Amino acid sequence: MKIVLASVFVCLTALCASAADDAAKQHATDFAARAAISNMFEIEAAKIEIASGKADDAKQFAQDMIRDHGKAGPVLIDAAKKDGIELPAALDAEHAAKLTALRQSDAANLDQAYLSTQVASHEEAVNLFDSYSKQGPDGQLKRTAAKILPELRMHLTRIRGLTSK
């Protein structure tokens, strides 16, 4: 009887550990996908602003987003790879629709539309990276989230300053 109970205990312990590992892997996968999509969105939105925007400060911000998010993308890809996570190669429907709306903005409203999307996008990114850097499972993605977070906060502060003018 003791052997049976010990066997059941071992199986239950292994099952719980496996479930915890699966939950941690899913948390990491969800973070990585959201972070990668956010990063791709930032770059594509910036390209629209540079191509069609009129305001110099918005265009400069867009150029900086291409530079900064262009650097962050490979770092995120590398971290995900080290943690065994595959990143999406394309935007999700929500972000693709936001880009379509931005492209369809008339010239008079494009700069404001771009800046508004940047406030919302950076608020979401800061919350995502902050939460994951504190509560995500240990690994390269968690360290990368903590590393990228200060720059995202700087972007958010800067974009809030541009939109409050």
Side-chain angles (χ1 to χ4, degrees), residues 63-74:
Q63 289 172 344
D64 293 345
M65 292 306 93
I66 289 174
R67 181 196 65 223
D68 293 351
H69 288 277
K71 290 179 194 173

Side-chain angles (χ1 to χ4, degrees), residues 31-41 76-77 87-88 91 128-129:
F31 164 77
R34 291 178 61 199
I37 287 169
S38 176
N39 199 62
M40 287 186 280
F41 174 77
L76 187 61
I77 290 167
L87 296 179
L91 292 174
L128 175 67
F129 278 71

Side-chain angles (χ1 to χ4, degrees), residues 24-105:
K25 180 80 166 187
Q26 188 60 51
H27 190 197
T29 300
D30 292 345
F31 164 77
R34 291 178 61 199
I37 287 169
S38 176
N39 199 62
M40 287 186 280
F41 174 77
E42 293 295 331
I43 292 169
E44 293 307 312
K47 289 177 183 177
I48 294 168
E49 173 60 26
I50 290 168
S52 303
K54 304 291 182 231
D56 289 338
D57 55 354
K59 288 178 96 156
Q60 182 59 56
F61 184 80
Q63 289 172 344
D64 293 345
M65 292 306 93
I66 289 174
R67 181 196 65 223
D68 293 351
H69 288 277
K71 290 179 194 173
V75 171
L76 187 61
I77 290 167
D78 185 54
K81 192 178 291 183
K82 287 179 180 173
D83 284 355
I85 308 279
E86 190 170 327
L87 296 179
L91 292 174
D92 60 3
E94 175 189 350
H95 287 87
K98 288 179 183 181
L99 287 178
T100 298
L102 198 56
R103 282 187 196 96
Q104 293 173 348
S105 294

Side-chain angles (χ1 to χ4, degrees), residues 103-124:
R103 282 187 196 96
Q104 293 173 348
S105 294
D106 61 21
N109 295 315
L110 177 62
D111 296 318
Q112 185 56 44
Y114 171 69
L115 294 175
S116 294
T117 65
Q118 292 306 292
V119 171
S121 183
H122 279 90
E123 285 173 346
E124 290 174 19

Side-chain angles (χ1 to χ4, degrees), residues 7 28 68 105 130 163 165:
S7 297
D68 293 351
S105 294
D130 183 56
T163 57
K165 288 183 179 180

